[in-house]
Amino acid sequence: MKKYFLLSFFISISSFSFSQSAAPVFVQDSLKLISSQFKFTEGASVDKQGNVFFTDQPNDKIWKYDTQGQLSLYMDKSGRANGTYFDKKGNLIVCADENNEIWSIGKNKQVTVLFSDFEGKKVNGPNDIWLDGKGGIYFTDPYYQRDYWTRQKSELNGEKVYYIPKGKKTAYVVAEGLTRPNGIVGTPDGKYLYVADRVADVTYRYDINKDASLSNRLLLFKQGSDGMTLDSNGNIYITGKGVDIYKPTGEKIGHIDVPENWCGNICFGGKNRNILFITASKSLYMIPTNARGVE
C-alpha cells in the first residue's frame, strides 16, 4: 500500500513573499534510486535548465544528472568539492575542501579561486554554501578532519559562518557562537538565512541585513542538518537520517525515508523543479513532488 503524505502550510503574508498555494504532496513509494556507484555523495545543486550536479567528495569528482535522465561525470580533480551552488551566470561555485578554498567553475570548466584564506590563515573547511541576490557568498566553516590534510587542528578560533561580497576575495564573519555550522540556505527574497548546527542539533534563522550582516538569531527547531533546501511555500527540507520537512514557523510536517545510513544534501531539479534529488551516502535518489524548488 502506498504511503501518502500531505503537507499543510499556512503562514502570515507579512513574513514571506512565497505563494500561499497548497503544500507538497509526495508518495514515499515513488522514491527512486538513480545510482549507488559512489563513495560519499554531497553538494547537490541545480542549474537554470534543471540539471542536477553533485559531488563524490572522497573520490574528488563532480557528477551531473541531466533533465533527460542521463548520469555523467562532469569533472575529475574537483578540489575535493563539497557544497555547491550556481551563480546567476551559470558558474558552479564550490567549497573546495582539499585546500579549504572556494572555487568558481565556468561553463568551460575553467577554475577561478574566489577565496583562499581568512586573515592569512586557512579556514577550517568550507562545507555548505548559498549565494544571495547580490552575488555574495555565505558559507559555513565547520572543522571535520580529512585524511588527505597534513594539518591536524584548526588554525582559527571557532567554527563560524562567513560572507564574501561579490567580486571580493576577503571574507568576514557574520555568525559565531555555533558548535559546528553545516547546512545553510537563504530565502529568495533575501530576508532570512537558515543555518544548521550539526553538533548542537539545532537550526537557526537569522535576519539578513542590507549590508549582508546577520541579526536576530532565532532557534527555529531542535534538529540540525547536513544540507538544506526550500520549496516555493517556504518549507525547509533538511538531511540526516532521511529527509525531514519543516514549516517556516518551525513545525515539522513530513519525513522521507531513505534506505541509506546518511543523507548529505538535497535540491529540487528537473525542468519544472518539482523533483527532489537526495545525495545519500554512496547513492543518489530522486522523488517526485508537488512542490517546486526556489534555487
Side-chain angles (χ1 to χ4, degrees), residues 23-189:
V25 178
F26 67 88
V27 181
Q28 173 66 55
D29 290 354
S30 66
L31 180 73
K32 177 184 176 182
L33 172 65
I34 296 172
S35 178
S36 287
Q37 65 185 26
F38 317 104
K39 192 168 182 179
F40 188 81
T41 55
E42 253 284 5
S45 60
V46 59
D47 67 10
K48 291 180 180 179
Q49 290 72 43
N51 304 304
V52 170
F53 293 71
F54 63 97
T55 65
D56 184 359
Q57 190 183 35
N59 287 324
D60 198 13
K61 302 180 189 299
I62 298 174
W63 290 80
K64 176 182 178 180
Y65 186 79
D66 68 23
T67 56
Q68 304 303 312
Q70 297 298 313
L71 177 67
S72 61
L73 178 64
Y74 176 72
M75 188 175 188
D76 205 351
K77 303 300 180 185
S78 65
R80 301 278 187 169
N82 194 342
T84 72
Y85 202 91
F86 277 92
D87 69 13
K88 291 181 178 179
K89 293 183 178 180
N91 301 308
L92 184 61
I93 311 302
V94 308
C95 295
D97 190 78
E98 185 172 21
N99 291 308
N100 305 301
E101 298 171 332
I102 291 179
W103 289 3
S104 173
I105 303 173
K107 294 179 181 179
N108 60 359
K109 301 183 185 178
Q110 180 180 356
V111 172
T112 302
V113 178
L114 301 180
F115 171 81
S116 61
D117 64 85
F118 177 71
E119 298 179 348
K121 298 179 180 179
K122 282 294 183 183
V123 292
N124 296 319
N127 187 284
D128 204 3
I129 191 168
W130 179 74
L131 274 63
D132 64 15
K134 303 173 185 176
I137 300 169
Y138 290 91
F139 70 92
T140 55
D141 186 45
Y143 190 89
Y144 293 102
Q145 183 66 47
R146 308 300 191 190
D147 58 10
Y148 45 82
W149 288 348
T150 57
R151 65 173 179 171
Q152 296 298 312
K153 64 179 182 179
S154 173
E155 296 180 24
L156 302 175
N157 180 23
E159 303 178 21
K160 304 171 185 178
V161 180
Y162 295 83
Y163 180 78
I164 308 170
K166 182 181 180 181
K168 305 294 183 181
K169 289 195 173 183
T170 301
Y172 60 90
V173 176
V174 290
E176 46 192 334
L178 299 155
T179 309
R180 186 145 298 159
N182 200 317
I184 188 170
V185 70
T187 58
D189 58 12

